[in-house]
Amino acid sequence: GYRVDFGNAGRARIEQSFQVETTIEPLLQRFRILDGARSEPVPTPTAPADRATIAYLVDCFPATAVAGLEFELQELRKRHLDCAVYVCRFQEGQPLSAGAERAALQFDFLPDAMAIEAEWQANPALGYALEDDRANQKHRASADIFLAQARYAVALRSLLKPRGIRHVHATSSSALLAAIMLKKLLPVTVSATIEPEPTLPVRVLRNALAECVGGRVSDPGLKTHLGSEFLLESTKLFRSVRLHMSGQSKLLNAWCDLLQTWR
């Protein structure tokens, strides 16, 4: 299944990164220095996602809320914007297009529920801080949604911190909850794309968007409460990649300009 494919892809990455030709070069450079040889250091190749300071956060993949994500990432790369992609959970039994499967091989998937729970239990102070913050909110998400997203946030913290991620983009309303909590755990800014039918109540969603530096929404009514850093996009973006490709170039250009300022 896809888990096996993604596992094989991860193994291939490790084998590529730790093959003898790659690991021996730093040792050879050290010997050249010790011997007094004057040679220019050979830079270590770095994958685009490893250089990224922007992380796209996906609550569930594949899902309607992130339809066309692979095309969007391609367009960002064409504009020299590399983004790391973190997926909180993989939806078993859902068919993947060839493009989505190729894209998913480059995603970072969180570990299974047991590993996420272990991370949560190992960091009780972080959990208490997030729960205390929720208790002080006038409008808040349900306990079930909060607890799931809080666990994702704590697990993501240990992954994003060493990579120097500076901006987190939530690709759906549910992912926005985890992103907002990450903002409390790491020095990052947050943006969000809100799907046509959000999973969060309107007041909870508005409060969460108030903590974002910008984003994209498809509801004109929701846009009236937001600033110019939030773009209004067509709902066709989520239902047809072809319409996205032919009619959203202006939107993508504006979106890339915003991401450039947040990276």
Side-chain angles (χ1 to χ4, degrees):
Y2 290 122
R3 287 187 181 275
V4 174
D5 293 338
F6 297 154
N8 290 338
R11 179 176 179 179
R13 281 189 183 179
I14 293 173
E15 291 175 346
Q16 181 180 5
S17 299
F18 291 96
Q19 59 184 324
V20 172
E21 292 85 351
T22 301
T23 56
I24 198 66
E25 184 58 37
L27 293 175
L28 291 175
Q29 288 184 38
R30 288 179 179 272
F31 283 122
R32 292 188 193 111
I33 293 173
L34 291 175
D35 290 339
R38 295 182 179 181
S39 59
E40 293 294 327
V42 179
T44 302
T46 305
D50 294 331
R51 298 193 301 264
T53 57
I54 298 173
Y56 264 48
L57 183 57
V58 180
D59 175 61
C60 181
F61 184 86
T64 304
V66 290
L69 177 61
E70 64 272 16
F71 169 76
E72 179 175 334
L73 294 172
Q74 285 179 352
E75 290 300 306
L76 293 181
R77 283 193 291 271
K78 289 179 183 177
R79 293 162 172 81
H80 308 292
L81 269 171
D82 295 312
C83 300
V85 180
Y86 290 89
V87 180
C88 296
R89 55 193 174 97
F90 181 75
Q91 185 69 31
E92 295 281 4
Q94 294 292 324
L96 280 179
S97 66
E101 186 171 349
R102 284 193 301 270
L105 293 173
Q106 303 300 318
F107 295 172
D108 288 298
F109 288 79
L110 289 189
D112 61 25
M114 290 183 64
I116 292 174
E117 182 63 25
E119 183 80 8
W120 175 260
Q121 296 296 334
N123 293 277
L126 299 180
Y128 293 147
L130 294 175
E131 289 172 350
D132 184 65
D133 184 72
R134 176 178 181 270
N136 293 321
Q137 295 173 356
K138 184 177 180 180
H139 304 291
R140 48 183 179 263
S142 67
D144 289 346
I145 294 178
F146 165 77
L147 289 172
Q149 297 300 322
R151 280 164 168 75
Y152 294 152
V154 171
L156 286 161
R157 171 182 172 271
S158 61
L159 298 176
L160 270 61
K161 186 176 181 179
R163 292 186 64 166
I165 296 296
R166 294 197 291 266
H167 181 77
V168 176
H169 176 67
T171 57
S172 65
S173 57
S174 53
L176 176 56
L177 282 185
I180 293 300
M181 286 185 264
L182 269 173
K183 181 184 173 185
K184 302 180 189 303
L185 304 177
L186 293 174
V188 297
T189 55
V190 171
S191 61
T193 294
I194 305 302
E195 66 274 28
E197 298 180 1
T199 59
L200 299 179
V202 174
R203 290 182 176 180
V204 175
L205 184 57
R206 286 179 181 173
N207 287 347
L209 288 172
E211 298 197 46
C212 296
V213 294
R216 288 150 40 194
V217 298
S218 55
D219 181 0
L222 187 60
K223 175 68 173 72
T224 60
H225 298 273
L226 302 169
S228 59
E229 295 80 10
F230 285 85
L231 307 178
L232 183 65
E233 62 184 4
S234 170
T235 56
K236 295 176 182 178
L237 176 77
F238 298 93
R239 297 172 184 167
S240 172
V241 176
R242 180 171 296 177
L243 286 175
H244 183 177
M245 294 174 65
S246 62
Q248 300 294 331
S249 59
K250 184 177 181 181
L251 173 71
L252 275 172
N253 288 336
W255 179 239
C256 288
D257 289 342
L258 288 172
L259 285 176
Q260 289 281 10
T261 66
W262 302 330
R263 63 189 303 184

